[in-house]
Amino acid sequence: MNRQVVLRARPQGPVTEDCFEVVEHPVPDLGPGEALLEVKYVGIDPTIRGWLDERGNYLPGVAIGEPIRSNGVGVVVATNDEERFPLGRAIMAMVGWQHYRVLAADEFLPVTIVDEQVELLDTLNVLGHNGLTAYLGVTEVAKPEPGETFVVSAAAGAVGSIAGQIAKLRGAHVIGIAGGPAKCAWVVDDLGFDACIDYKADDVATRLKELAPRGVDVFFDNVGGELLDTVLRRLANRGRIVLCGDLSTYDVEGPSPPLHNIKYVMGKRARMEGFNTLDHWARYLEAADQLSQWYAEGRIKCRYDTLDGLDRAPEALVRLFSGDHLGKLVVKVS
Ligand SMILES: NC(=O)c1ccc[n+]([C@@H]2O[C@H](COP(=O)([O-])OP(=O)(O)OC[C@H]3O[C@@H](n4cnc5c(N)ncnc54)[C@H](OP(=O)(O)O)[C@@H]3O)[C@@H](O)[C@H]2O)c1
């Protein structure tokens, strides 16, 4: 039987566990060119929240009764296409919240055979989409120069923690913004950030003035909303704002809160740019090579917060938005 976590009801505002239910269906027979993947891990990513709404985001919303779409990694346990989906090999794909996923002959979303030397978990984080997002956002859009001040929000999260470390490797002065003393301590003591602002306890505007007296050259923003507005006021001349994510507004109904300080973008001749990793396919291989090298050399570190059991995926998604995790949040399926 295939155990799945499906969408029972669409969230109105913040996501809650009762939006989901667990169901079981027989594992389907394989057709020509298809393969069966036994799912090992699913990544818990903020983008999932957008797929719970009918309108979706860059991909359509998940239908009621369908398994929740999510990135993940599994092992091929049966195959009708040995060349494309070799038996026993690990594959990263949009596996969804379920124990088994049939890989179709005409798979529309990317399917990647995992290098046998790579730890499965790392394919969902530093050597996967999160690492690529951080690398491409920093090198393609932010482009921090040595000595520049680089600020990153959701700094102890999957993308933010890697983005800050890459900026540090480029010689920037890196300031994280994260919720709580444990997160701030991790990014400074273990990851080598120069400082971290606990936005839940500190006044961010005051701390930015102290920590970045010349202003913020780059803001790598994962959160949007009020935090973004606060940082806009502290921009340096020719500052760059990378709009990587808008976490604070994902479960807000209606229009996003206004940015009162947008005038500083003009005044400081700054540049604000939306960014999506999917637009930078051409640089994926280069990015993956560089990230693998840094990771192997211990110059980039990461950590995982793992919940055991597929049935805990809804709890994990709620935790993602409450901030009750450190590093990359994943669910171990089997
Ligand atoms: N543009 C792209 O191509 C792309 C690709 C992948 C991901 N992203 C975006 O990157 C961002 C980070 O994703 P991730 O996977 O690395 O998630 P994550 O940072 O590991 O987890 C989310 C964190 O965001 C913080 N947060 C949640 N709600 C918040 C709020 N209302 N205000 C302030 N902080 C809040 C929490 O940390 P605190 O405890 O510190 O508040 C939480 O731990 C997301 O916006 C995601 O959509 C963009």
Side-chain angles (χ1 to χ4, degrees), residues 46 133 157-159 179 183 199 222-223 244-245 247-248 250 275 277 320 325:
T133 299
V159 173
K183 291 188 176 190
Y199 76 94
N222 291 309
V223 167
C244 178
L247 266 162
S248 65
Y250 288 178
F275 160 77
T277 314
L320 184 76
H325 68 104

Side-chain angles (χ1 to χ4, degrees), residues 233-293:
R233 254 204 111 131
R234 297 298 313 154
L235 283 175
N237 268 328
R238 305 272 172 210
R240 284 89 73 202
I241 304 121
V242 183
L243 298 177
C244 178
D246 205 10
L247 266 162
S248 65
T249 67
Y250 288 178
D251 50 22
V252 173
E253 301 280 318
S256 298
L259 292 175
H260 300 286
N261 293 324
I262 197 79
K263 63 184 177 197
Y264 290 91
V265 175
M266 187 185 69
K268 296 290 182 180
R269 290 94 171 146
R271 183 163 54 81
M272 203 164 176
E273 188 169 337
F275 160 77
N276 194 316
T277 314
L278 300 175
D279 297 338
H280 302 280
W281 274 109
R283 292 191 60 205
Y284 269 31
L285 276 183
E286 168 219 321
D289 280 352
Q290 181 62 82
L291 286 162
S292 303
Q293 189 188 329

Side-chain angles (χ1 to χ4, degrees), residues 22-62:
V22 177
V23 299
E24 287 196 353
H25 295 294
V27 177
D29 292 332
L30 294 184
E34 292 184 340
L36 188 67
L37 201 64
E38 185 182 352
V39 178
K40 299 291 182 191
Y41 292 99
V42 291
I44 304 298
D45 298 305
T47 193
I48 294 173
R49 176 63 188 84
W51 299 332
L52 305 183
D53 293 332
E54 195 163 7
R55 66 177 183 278
N57 43 28
Y58 56 93
L59 287 176
V62 169

Side-chain angles (χ1 to χ4, degrees), residues 34-108:
E34 292 184 340
L36 188 67
L37 201 64
E38 185 182 352
V39 178
K40 299 291 182 191
Y41 292 99
V42 291
I44 304 298
D45 298 305
T47 193
I48 294 173
R49 176 63 188 84
W51 299 332
L52 305 183
D53 293 332
E54 195 163 7
R55 66 177 183 278
N57 43 28
Y58 56 93
L59 287 176
V62 169
I64 299 288
E66 289 292 314
I68 304 307
R69 184 187 298 126
S70 86
N71 197 17
V73 64
V75 171
V76 177
V77 290
T79 185
N80 282 337
D81 186 344
E82 179 63 37
E83 200 175 319
R84 190 157 174 236
F85 306 126
L87 197 63
R89 286 297 297 270
I91 285 192
M92 181 174 60
M94 280 292 175
V95 298
W97 287 3
Q98 54 187 342
H99 276 261
Y100 292 98
R101 159 80 148 82
V102 174
L103 296 169
D106 58 351
E107 274 288 328
F108 156 67

